[in-house]
Amino acid sequence: MDFSYTPEQIEIKDLAMKFAKNEMMPKAQEFDSKAEMPFQILEKAWSLGLVNTCIPTEFGGNGFSAIDSMIITEALAYGCMGMNTAIMANDLALLPIVLGGSLEQKKKFLTPFTEKYKIAAFCLTEPSNGSDAGGIKTSIKEDGDDVIINGNKMWITNAGYADLFVLYGTTDSSLKHKAITAVVIEKGTAGIEIGKKEDKMGHRCSDTRAVTFNNVRVSKSNIIGGLNKGWGIAMKTLDHSRPMVAASAVGGAQCALDHAIKYAKERVQFNVPISQHQAIQFMIADMAMKTEASRLLVHKAAWLLDNQLSNTQLASYAKAFAADSCMQIATDAVQVFGGYGYSKEYPVEKIMRDAKLIQLYEGTSQIQRLVIAKEIFTR
Amino acid sequence: MNIYVCVKQVPDTETKIIPNADGTFIETGSIKWIMNPYDEFAVEQALLVQAANAGSTVTVLRVGSVKDTEALRTAMAMGADDAFLVEAADNLDSYSIAKALKGAISKSGKNPDLILTGKQAIDDDCLQVPQILATMLDIPSVSVVVEYSGSTTDIVVKREIEGGALEVYGVKLPAMIACNKGINTPRYASLPGIMKAKKKPLVVLSLAEVSVVESDRRVKYSHFQLPPEKPSGKKFDATDSAKMGGVVKEVVGLLRTEAKVI
Ligand SMILES: Cc1cc2nc3c(=O)[nH]c(=O)nc-3n(C[C@H](O)[C@H](O)[C@H](O)COP(=O)(O)OP(=O)(O)OC[C@H]3O[C@@H](n4cnc5c(N)ncnc54)[C@H](O)[C@@H]3O)c2cc1C
């Protein structure tokens, strides 16, 4: 048992935190209010190796362990949770290829992402199927050497600028999980219709849209892991991506906590800094405790992955606990700031808006509990 | 060109410094070490000069404790080729450090064409090592440099002087240049750079190997302590003009008897 980072991990963290503080934080508020993708910042992050952490060295990536990528994600989310969503959505979309793709597919689809800053989108959710992902209706029909895709996707991060879509559909919706199929669709393929940008509560600089697929034809060679093999790949992807989303919650929580501590030392009420009022101290103690507990769950979920051990349950612990804690911590940070916390002049209201999404995407906090309970009662 | 950069590892600027239990140095146990920020300009300048002169090498040197090699690894992750660390306690004096750096340069087996450092280290703020080292090597040195240009033999540097004016120096290499903020914008050590740095050579030398002995010390630190805490200020209420005379009298009295400044 060892809780320390390796010397390289310390450096990775330092770089990512430096980037978060120098490049992301100063622009976070601006891009949030403009609701625009910060392409320059994203591209710079990419040039430093902070994007697409899931790509293995064979295909031009950096060969990061799961723990390494948690460290990076936490730091980037510290800088801005919304920008991190734009970054993390790439991993989310590329992971199915990393985990289930053939050698040819990996070379073809992953390597370009290491040569140039490119954007990927992960298309699972539909207007009428969110939590119940096994019930998706987007159809994938065989047609000779091709498949034809028809259906509507909803809440797709990065959709407006994506070079690559990784889509989950079904060959027969009555078969539920057994017919789920994952397929790669390149930008420019005929029949992709990008919807209007959602006007969101938080993560406003990330691009979220509906996408419609109208008779989109792609070669069968774009199917990941074979027809009807998509559900297994989706589950494996979640084992990786849920800890990552949880890591982003830790980053947001740590940022809210740091702001709260600093402000509590500066703000004087009743002739003393509010940090000397026990009610504030206890609130901040709880925030610190929950942040560290979340981080440890994230690290354990990632450590299990790095050691090829099953982490489904831990991934859900981490995702639910870190997301719920982040929401609480961000809310309490606003409380510590008092009325000033409610103003956009101060940084914590944005974290509170951003935190909410972590409880929703990649499986809501309720769905995580469902997964955990299932693991408990069916094993 | 053989380019050398001397870097120091200093406590992170946000560190709360406290003396250790016996007052011989500061408490280092919980310190997060970083590369001295001014040295980042020196590393960046070395990499810029290297890029402009094909076939050049950049070697980083550091004198200090071995337990954390942050500064050297960061320099190599930014692009430096190799590193030398002279293992020593963190409280050596400037003269011993300069002598150890000179020894490390000679151990590297190359003659320096250019040595770069930051203008000062932000921890002890001695501002001495570059000049002492240059004197030991018998080469010219210019400090507080904000502009650099030139060839492999002759350079022109500008340094800041009082009033925001610039002094311009033409310097024959080899020389020592101590960099100030503004000379460049240090690059980030990229993640691929960090991964590559793991495989770059880092030679560790002892003080004995670079012929530094205890009697080289010119400065001995006798005691480390925090400055006395400032007593909080006194406020005088002068809103009521009727009582103004009394308040002025009281302030003058206190300035005489308590503050003893008049
Ligand atoms: C900004 C944003 C970005 C997103 N990005 C992507 C993306 O890139 N790709 C993608 O595919 N999807 C994305 N999503 C979709 C996201 O994953 C879904 O919104 C999420 O899974 C929830 O689905 P839903 O919105 O349909 O809610 P529902 O499934 O309708 O859930 C509504 C409520 O019911 C609860 N609930 C549902 N079922 C149960 C149950 N069985 N037991 C208990 N409670 C239950 C939920 O927890 C929730 O509270 C994004 C969403 C947002 C808001």
Side-chain angles (χ1 to χ4, degrees), chain A residues 92 122-126 129-132 154-157 200 208 357 360-364 366-367 370:
Chain A
L92 193 55
F122 172 83
C123 311
L124 173 64
T125 307
E126 297 180 357
N129 284 80
S131 300
D132 183 11
M154 187 71 196
W155 304 116
I156 306 308
T157 303
K200 306 191 295 295
T208 319
L357 180 58
L360 298 172
Y361 66 6
E362 284 292 285
T364 64
Q366 289 71 38
I367 293 305
L370 230 131

Side-chain angles (χ1 to χ4, degrees), chain B residues 17-29 222-226:
Chain B
I17 301 289
I18 45 166
N20 62 10
D22 54 4
T24 52
F25 195 51
I26 56 169
E27 191 55 62
T28 55
S222 64
H223 197 68
F224 281 76
Q225 65 181 54
L226 290 175

Side-chain angles (χ1 to χ4, degrees), chain B residues 143-156:
Chain B
S143 188
V144 204
V145 169
V146 291
E147 267 184 65
Y148 180 109
S149 60
S151 68
T152 56
T153 54
D154 296 89
I155 59 169
V156 175

Side-chain angles (χ1 to χ4, degrees), chain A residues 313-378:
Chain A
Q313 198 169 338
L314 251 297
S316 285
Y317 286 176
K319 166 72 170 62
F321 189 83
D324 294 352
S325 299
C326 181
M327 190 67 235
Q328 180 70 53
I329 290 162
T331 309
D332 286 348
V334 172
Q335 196 67 23
V336 169
F337 272 70
Y340 295 93
Y342 205 64
S343 160
K344 286 191 199 292
E345 296 281 311
Y346 289 81
V348 284
E349 63 81 32
K350 173 177 178 295
I351 304 178
M352 185 171 164
R353 288 186 284 111
D354 287 347
K356 189 65 216 174
L357 180 58
I358 316 287
Q359 291 179 300
L360 298 172
Y361 66 6
E362 284 292 285
T364 64
S365 289
Q366 289 71 38
I367 293 305
Q368 304 307 328
R369 285 168 172 85
L370 230 131
V371 172
I372 294 164
K374 193 172 151 218
E375 292 281 318
I376 291 171
F377 290 112
T378 57

Side-chain angles (χ1 to χ4, degrees), chain B residues 37-147:
Chain B
Y38 290 109
D39 298 346
E40 283 190 32
F41 299 114
V43 174
E44 178 64 32
Q45 196 55 42
L47 296 172
L48 293 174
V49 175
Q50 179 188 39
N53 297 286
S56 303
T57 56
V58 175
T59 301
V60 270
L61 311 169
R62 175 184 160 235
V63 181
S65 65
V66 76
K67 56 181 183 296
D68 188 343
T69 50
E70 194 73 30
L72 291 179
R73 280 202 315 270
T74 304
M76 289 197 284
M78 286 168 77
D81 299 295
D82 56 354
F84 286 81
L85 169 68
V86 181
E87 203 181 344
D90 280 314
N91 63 350
L92 275 195
D93 70 329
S94 305
Y95 185 89
S96 308
I97 290 172
K99 194 173 174 195
L101 289 170
K102 181 184 172 214
I105 292 171
S106 110
K107 282 277 173 196
S108 76
K110 290 184 290 191
N111 289 323
D113 295 304
L114 174 64
I115 305 176
L116 292 153
T117 68
K119 67 159 179 164
Q120 76 193 84
I122 60 159
D123 52 357
D124 56 20
D125 285 327
C126 288
L127 293 99
Q128 298 193 101
V129 169
Q131 293 79 357
I132 299 174
L133 177 57
T135 307
M136 285 175 174
L137 293 169
D138 197 20
I139 58 173
S141 79
V142 187
S143 188
V144 204
V145 169
V146 291
E147 267 184 65

Side-chain angles (χ1 to χ4, degrees), chain A residues 180-257:
Chain A
I180 304 283
T181 301
V183 59
V184 183
I185 306 166
E186 289 173 276
K187 178 187 183 169
T189 309
I192 307 175
E193 213 176 276
I194 310 286
K196 77 159 186 35
K197 185 172 174 161
E198 298 292 340
D199 188 6
K200 306 191 295 295
M201 173 198 280
H203 296 238
R204 292 175 53 77
C205 74
S206 76
D207 186 80
T208 319
R209 296 170 193 260
V211 187
T212 306
F213 296 84
N214 283 323
N215 288 318
V216 173
R217 177 183 287 272
V218 298
S219 157
K220 275 186 178 162
S221 64
N222 281 21
I223 295 170
I224 309 170
L227 275 172
N228 305 329
K229 294 283 188 282
W231 190 251
I233 294 169
M235 292 303 107
K236 260 168 107 182
T237 300
L238 290 174
D239 290 344
H240 282 76
S241 59
R242 281 181 175 156
M244 212 165 168
V245 174
S248 76
V250 179
Q254 185 69 53
C255 187
L257 171 62

